[in-house]
Amino acid sequence: SNKQLSVAALNALIAAYNQYTIDDKNRVARNTESFIVDRINALSKDLGGIDSQIEHLKIINRYPTIETAAQVYTQRSTTSTDQLTSVEMELSLVEYVKNYINSAGPYDLIPANAGINDQSINGLIERYNTACLNYQHLASTSGDENPALVDIKKQVTAMRQSLTHTVDNYINTLRIKKNQMMASERSANSMMMTVPTQEKAINDITRQQKIKEQLYLFLLNKREENALQVAITEPNARVLEPATGGWLISPIENNII
């Protein structure tokens, strides 16, 4: 009957809308997964290279044990050194995202929730991805001259320029902070002129190793969070009860002459 067809159509529309929103969320999550995996693989190679450098220096300089180098490094560790490590890790993440933006296509999605601590950048990425998804959906069903599609193109272009500008400014800010932290670290190290050259070389490499290890673990956690997000993705709408057929609401039969 017409009533049954109407009920079925409404329920199908609600289900299609919910699946539509889930698919969009999962596309962003899969894009982020690819970005994180690429960085994890690159860091894994870097860490292997650092281990080889440490082993090489131990052989050349006859370093007794890695524990000795760790002890010297711990003695040199100060608040400035910890702050420098934090700034360098943040700078690496932002530069990863900047390189991704520069290499991405005009309407490609940008990795979201990649660990950047600047909320303005995270907000811009979220709005940019939403605009790109809207463009992709509309472009698949309309021509290039569609006014709505032209308007979205302009939005995406403007938002991409704004995002690039904001990321560049944040990178400059982090580089200034890094220089300040390096100056503070050099001041602290000036009190340790008796530390052998060999130990300093090990300490420098160990600090780089610590930065990359922290970044590696951080990205592993982000990968788990992203995978969990995909697993529990919920639609925007929650159906309390499916549509059903009922009595006639309008017109009221008693009011019909």
Side-chain angles (χ1 to χ4, degrees):
S1 66
N2 290 336
K3 182 175 70 175
Q4 292 174 330
L5 288 175
S6 299
V7 169
L10 181 56
N11 284 329
L13 180 61
I14 294 172
Y17 170 76
N18 283 339
Q19 187 61 47
Y20 182 90
T21 58
I22 289 175
D23 290 343
D24 278 354
K25 292 177 181 179
N26 285 341
R27 286 178 63 190
V28 174
R30 286 193 296 269
N31 190 69
T32 302
E33 165 74 5
S34 177
F35 169 81
I36 291 175
V37 168
D38 287 343
R39 297 319 315 158
I40 287 176
N41 291 338
L43 284 171
S44 180
K45 293 179 181 178
D46 289 345
L47 286 171
I50 289 175
D51 288 338
S52 298
Q53 290 180 37
I54 293 176
E55 191 65 28
H56 181 67
L57 284 174
K58 286 171 59 178
I59 294 173
I60 293 177
N61 301 314
R62 298 181 182 179
Y63 228 98
T65 61
I66 193 62
E67 288 75 17
T68 303
Q71 181 180 4
V72 175
Y73 179 81
T74 301
Q75 292 172 351
R76 294 182 58 213
S77 179
T78 62
T79 301
S80 295
T81 302
D82 292 335
Q83 290 175 342
L84 177 59
T85 299
S86 177
V87 169
E88 288 183 331
M89 186 180 78
E90 175 81 357
L91 182 58
S92 294
L93 281 172
V94 180
E95 287 177 340
Y96 290 162
V97 172
K98 176 185 176 180
N99 292 336
Y100 189 93
I101 293 173
N102 291 339
S103 62
Y107 306 103
D108 288 346
L109 300 175
I110 303 300
N113 192 29
I116 298 177
N117 292 326
D118 188 273
Q119 294 305 312
S120 62
I121 293 178
N122 291 330
L124 280 172
I125 290 176
E126 181 178 358
R127 292 192 293 275
Y128 178 85
N129 282 340
T130 299
C132 286
L133 287 171
N134 290 338
Y135 169 84
Q136 293 171 11
H137 293 313
L138 189 57
S140 66
T141 58
S142 62
D144 291 339
E145 302 303 322
N146 186 314
L149 190 63
V150 172
D151 184 60
I152 292 178
K153 285 182 179 180
K154 293 179 180 179
Q155 291 180 26
V156 170
T157 300
M159 293 173 71
R160 190 185 185 102
Q161 292 174 348
S162 177
L163 178 59
T164 300
H165 179 71
T166 303
V167 168
D168 286 339
N169 286 342
Y170 192 50
I171 287 176
N172 290 335
T173 299
L174 289 176
R175 285 173 177 169
I176 291 173
K177 290 178 65 176
K178 176 183 175 180
N179 291 335
Q180 292 173 343
M181 293 302 100
M182 290 178 67
S184 179
E185 186 183 51
R186 285 194 297 268
S187 176
N189 289 341
S190 66
M191 301 173 61
M192 304 176 61
M193 298 302 294
T194 58
V195 177
T197 303
Q198 295 89 341
E199 290 180 339
K200 288 184 178 180
I202 288 289
N203 289 338
D204 290 340
I205 296 177
T206 302
R207 182 166 67 82
Q208 291 299 318
Q209 183 183 43
K210 180 180 178 181
I211 293 169
K212 292 183 181 296
E213 285 176 345
Q214 289 181 353
L215 186 55
Y216 183 85
L217 294 175
F218 179 85
L219 289 174
L220 284 178
N221 288 333
K222 281 295 176 183
R223 184 182 183 185
E224 292 298 324
E225 291 176 11
N226 191 67
L228 182 61
Q229 179 180 344
V230 173
I232 63 174
T233 299
E234 295 183 352
N236 290 347
R238 176 175 295 179
V239 179
L240 299 180
E241 292 182 7
T244 59
W247 57 86
L248 182 65
I249 296 177
S250 179
I252 300 175
E253 293 182 353
N254 291 338
N255 293 341
I256 299 176
I257 297 177

